[in-house]
Amino acid sequence: MIPISILDLVRIRQGSDARNALDHARDLALHAEGWNYRRFWMAEHHNMRGIASAATSVAIAHVAAGTSTIRVGAGGVMLPNHAPLVIAEQFGTLAALFPGRIDLGLGRAPGTDQITTRALRRDPASAESFPQDVLELQAFLAPSEPDQRIVAVPGHGSKVPLWILGSSTFGSRLAAEFGLPYAFASHFAPDSLEMALQLYRAQFKPSEQQAKPHAMVGINIIAADTDAEARRLATTQQMSFTDMHRGVRGLSKPPIDDIETYWSPLEKAQASHMLACSIIGSPETVREELERFLLRTGADELMIVSDIFDHKARLHSYEIIADVARGVEPIPMSI
């Protein structure tokens, strides 16, 4: 079967709170473990009222403590917001607590707006040093030298696996140059998907961590028993993207019967473009469209977002996806 993983945005719903969102994330990961999902990742976002994973390493610890086998990690940590030594210490600690189960995906975007970037005490230009910061972090996670003056404790020698995250060809080239696995954020930024994957595979240089390229591709999948119910559940995510274009970052909203009453034609075009890599439907629809998506991308692994308001409906969606994925084979690419 195609390896499948989960990216959870840890959405705070209307009528709920951050604790409930974090507990739902933990419960989802526990179920996903039983459904043979490979990874459960959360992302660093700041100053967003509807997302509870800003302190990403803390959220990872909460989820990992409630599971036993699934890999838990960051998808990702926005490295320009942090000193590499601090991230090495945080994820070294996680690796000590949950050995063999921690992933560290790295992005170079701030994960927020410019005002919040300043509140994080970071220089917006720090993104330019992202390649050097990745190498510095990698060195802190490697075994320390006897005369090494700065050592990440815990962290050194843990070799927490690093991933490069991206939504452009910059990340794909960097992942290829460093010989690291690559995760493309096509679940919200689909434009450069094919080119980024082609460059990554063509330019990949084997490394100690990764002998051959491994491309994980993000995709939104909203699954339900019928196409109609899936389309209704998907309106929660569609409203969220519409609100983002309106400059509103609020709580997750319950689904509505007719999304056309919520967005304007321009907003529909904008949101639909960002959500182009989406599958919405019954198990039969999901299977058909998933096979086409794999044929198009040759993904080695899928990182799935199922952004659904109701927790039970979200669990059901991920269970359907897991059942469908058991019968879907990866499509090997020649390059």
Side-chain angles (χ1 to χ4, degrees):
M1 63 177 282
I2 179 73
I4 52 175
S5 296
I6 291 174
L7 176 62
D8 187 15
L9 300 177
V10 198
R11 293 280 197 189
I12 303 174
R13 301 179 302 165
Q14 287 185 351
S16 188
D17 56 22
R19 175 58 190 265
N20 190 254
L22 289 162
D23 285 347
H24 279 169
R26 182 165 162 159
D27 185 61
L28 172 58
L30 181 60
H31 281 83
E33 195 169 72
W35 297 327
N36 293 318
Y37 282 86
R38 180 173 290 184
R39 311 174 204 279
F40 188 93
W41 282 7
M42 292 165 283
E44 176 187 348
H45 294 284
H46 297 282
N47 194 27
M48 296 187 183
R49 296 181 184 275
I51 296 179
S53 55
T56 314
S57 60
V58 180
I60 289 169
H62 179 65
V63 170
T67 53
S68 58
T69 58
I70 194 169
R71 298 191 68 89
V72 186
V77 161
M78 302 298 106
L79 196 53
N81 295 339
H82 310 278
L85 175 61
V86 172
I87 298 303
E89 291 169 342
Q90 290 178 1
F91 280 79
T93 301
L94 288 168
L97 291 169
F98 311 103
R101 296 182 54 209
I102 301 300
D103 293 329
L104 177 48
L106 302 170
R108 68 174 183 137
T112 188
D113 53 64
Q114 291 186 356
I115 296 175
T116 310
T117 298
R118 288 195 291 271
L120 291 166
R121 303 294 191 267
R122 302 302 294 169
D123 180 353
S126 60
E128 301 303 318
S129 64
F130 180 69
Q132 293 75 28
D133 288 345
V134 172
L135 293 175
E136 184 178 345
L137 174 59
Q138 194 172 43
F140 280 129
L141 294 170
S144 59
E145 299 294 334
D147 58 348
Q148 188 170 323
R149 298 186 63 184
I150 302 176
V151 180
V153 183
H156 72 103
S158 62
K159 296 185 178 179
V160 174
L162 302 183
W163 291 67
I164 299 297
L165 278 55
S167 57
S168 69
T169 57
F170 176 90
S172 66
R173 293 178 186 275
L174 187 68
E177 177 66 25
F178 289 174
L180 295 174
Y182 178 56
F184 189 88
S186 39
H187 58 290
F188 71 88
D191 287 348
S192 301
L193 173 59
E194 284 87 352
M195 179 60 70
L197 293 178
Q198 182 181 3
L199 288 171
Y200 172 64
R201 292 172 178 134
Q203 299 180 7
F204 183 84
K205 299 178 180 179
S207 67
E208 180 181 353
Q209 178 180 325
Q210 195 72 32
K212 60 181 182 179
H214 185 92
M216 180 159 59
V217 179
I219 184 171
N220 304 291
I221 304 181
I222 308 294
D225 293 333
T226 66
D227 287 346
E229 177 60 14
R231 286 194 294 269
R232 182 176 179 276
L233 294 175
T235 60
T236 290
Q237 187 179 42
Q238 291 165 341
M239 287 188 288
S240 176
F241 274 70
T242 301
D243 288 348
M244 183 172 60
H245 285 293
R246 293 173 180 174
V248 177
R249 304 257 181 173
L251 304 183
S252 179
K253 297 177 179 178
I256 58 177
D257 292 331
D258 185 5
I259 187 63
E260 301 301 331
T261 64
Y262 192 83
W263 55 20
S264 69
L266 176 59
E267 290 168 339
K268 178 180 180 178
Q270 292 170 327
S272 298
H273 178 76
M274 293 184 71
L275 294 171
C277 289
S278 297
I279 298 173
I280 301 168
S282 65
E284 294 76 15
T285 299
V286 171
R287 181 182 302 276
E288 292 173 3
E289 295 193 21
L290 186 58
E291 289 175 345
R292 283 198 291 269
F293 186 75
L294 290 173
L295 188 63
R296 170 188 163 196
T297 63
D300 299 299
E301 186 172 344
L302 294 175
M303 180 59 76
I304 298 166
V305 178
S306 198
D307 188 0
I308 294 174
F309 181 83
D310 180 75
H311 183 56
K312 289 184 179 179
R314 186 168 65 140
L315 290 176
H316 187 47
S317 177
Y318 277 115
E319 185 177 18
I320 290 172
I321 296 164
D323 287 340
V324 168
R326 290 190 187 98
V328 177
E329 297 289 336
I331 308 294
M333 300 298 283
S334 57
I335 296 178

